[in-house]
Amino acid sequence: MGMNAMIKKCGLRAIINTDVRKKFREKQPPTFLHPAKVEPVKDFHQSLPGYKPTPLVSLANLSRELGVGNIYVKDESDRFGLNAFKVLGSSYAMGKFIGQRLGLADGELTFDYLCSGEVRKRLGGITFATATDGNHGRGVAWTAQQLGQEAVVYLPKGVARRRVEAIEETGAKAVVTDVNYDDTVRLVVKAAEDKGWQLIQDTAYEGYERIPRWIMQGYTTMAAEIEEQLEDNALPRPSHVFLQAGVGSFASTLLGYFVNKDKEDYPFTVIMEPEKAACIFASAQAGEGEPQRVTGDLATIMAGLSCGEPSPIAWPILRSFADGYVVCPDYVAARGIRILANPLGDDGKVVAGESGSVGIGLLSLLSLEKECAELKGKLGLNEDANILIINTEGATDPVNYRRILWDGRYPLP
């Protein structure tokens, strides 16, 4: 992987992949994320109770303050009332699983029908299982509840109590382990094999790729909504997109969608990770080989990104098409929370959780801190840049959210 020397500024570490655009034609875009495959996914989501597109918030005053053209924030904090985007993936994967088990075509895959007594009678009882830092597991649990099925959700040590409660409120069983996220995944995989549960996991491993691909396809509804919102509001297309990554499924989905749609003109894409869980960054440093694992407790306030192993489906997409990788300390996300909660002028307020706010926090540092000017320039952030940022979650840990806002927790060093 061609790259410039790693940049270390403002407490950030960054890699710019200088060969991505030069070698575009040598790479194969992920066909399963092509926009042509989005229609049945979106049709399925539109059949879910309470479906509506989440807002695309244009922050004109903040754009002027930061010296860029436009900032768009896709706000997933109100997706089906679940405070995060993850249910898009889990619901679609669970729907596809049931549909294939019953021999249903995509056109027959409506949520009303899947929830019907006829389907439950044909299907029998299923226990869906997953590991999560909170949002994905809540999506699995909610979908299982709607389907009249059971769910068991494993969570890693240190998870916020509110995230556990949100899962239990759906009637699912929550199991908090004494190990980190990656080891929690291994525990639930073993438990599912032993107990006959159906695993709905958003990271792949050898022999387990079909469901993670369906989960990623589920996320494309968000990309389709963004396209429609840009067009309906006559907004300039994004020149840049900032995407946060845990195992990389979300980031690679959005990137893969834009690569398929825009070809060489896809937005300049920056991948962001927490300081102690930067497995994508480590993989980029290692070059063209296999994805790298980082170990330890993976501690970060960005709980949804606290992952030490990239998904083997996601990494090849990120390796082939991402332009940059940035490691962000926790104070970057905390800064983003405060900025979005305190809008300038008539900009809309966005309630963002720690994993959802990191993009705005990073953009503000790059734009306002003189020490970051070199990195800002290499990323092409200027008055012509139109930047798309995804707020992937609301305040899923309300206690920490309040401490960040009220007490100034995690200040800039």
Side-chain angles (χ1 to χ4, degrees), residues 14 19 31 60 112 121 124 147 179 261 328 373:
D19 285 350
T31 55
D112 280 347
K121 185 177 179 180
L147 294 169
V179 293
K261 186 176 190 305
C328 300

Side-chain angles (χ1 to χ4, degrees), residues 141-395:
W142 178 85
T143 305
Q145 180 187 45
Q146 302 298 309
L147 294 169
Q149 301 291 354
E150 302 294 322
V152 178
V153 180
Y154 281 50
L155 301 103
K157 65 178 180 180
V159 66
R161 181 61 202 162
R162 177 58 200 144
R163 294 188 177 116
V164 178
E165 292 170 348
I167 289 166
E168 292 175 333
E169 285 164 4
T170 68
K173 181 180 179 181
V175 179
V176 180
T177 72
D178 60 358
V179 293
N180 67 21
Y181 170 80
D182 299 302
D183 290 333
T184 299
V185 171
R186 282 183 266 276
L187 287 177
V188 81
V189 169
K190 179 67 165 57
E193 290 173 353
D194 292 345
K195 298 177 183 296
W197 299 337
Q198 178 54 51
L199 188 67
I200 304 290
Q201 198 59 50
D202 55 352
T203 187
Y205 53 85
E206 187 175 352
Y208 185 79
E209 295 189 348
R210 183 180 58 166
I211 285 174
R213 285 179 187 271
W214 286 340
I215 289 173
M216 291 170 70
Q217 286 182 318
Y219 299 156
T220 60
T221 288
M222 187 195 320
E225 289 177 0
I226 291 168
E227 293 287 350
E228 291 175 3
Q229 290 165 324
L230 290 169
E231 185 174 343
D232 291 348
N233 293 285
L235 296 170
R237 290 190 60 74
S239 61
H240 293 68
V241 58
F242 284 30
L243 298 171
Q244 52 271 58
V247 300
S249 296
F250 156 75
S252 61
T253 296
L254 272 287
L255 177 54
Y257 177 94
F258 287 126
V259 167
N260 274 295
K261 186 176 190 305
D262 299 329
K263 307 302 185 226
E264 293 97 328
D265 295 326
Y266 69 92
F268 189 100
T269 302
V270 179
I271 306 301
M272 306 170 294
E273 294 175 280
E275 198 167 24
K276 293 184 179 179
C279 56
I280 306 294
F281 187 89
S283 301
Q285 272 189 298
E288 293 282 358
E290 294 299 310
Q292 301 297 302
R293 179 184 178 191
V294 299
T295 58
D297 62 10
L298 311 177
T300 173
I301 62 171
M302 294 172 264
L305 311 180
S306 179
C307 308
E309 300 177 37
S311 169
I313 298 175
W315 168 238
I317 300 171
L318 299 176
R319 180 186 62 204
S320 296
F321 301 109
D323 295 281
Y325 309 85
V326 181
V327 176
C328 300
D330 282 349
Y331 62 74
V332 179
R335 180 181 174 92
I337 285 176
R338 288 189 281 267
I339 291 171
L340 289 169
N342 295 277
L344 297 177
D346 58 357
D347 284 355
K349 177 181 176 179
V350 176
V351 176
E354 298 87 345
S355 297
S357 61
V358 62
I360 283 290
L362 175 60
L363 179 60
S364 72
L365 286 174
L366 295 172
S367 300
L368 299 177
E369 296 294 320
K370 291 181 180 179
E371 188 184 352
C372 292
E374 178 190 1
L375 180 53
K376 176 186 176 184
K378 289 185 179 294
L379 295 176
L381 298 172
N382 54 39
E383 63 276 4
D384 296 321
N386 301 310
I387 301 154
L388 173 63
I389 288 171
I390 316 295
N391 175 33
T392 48
E393 64 171 4

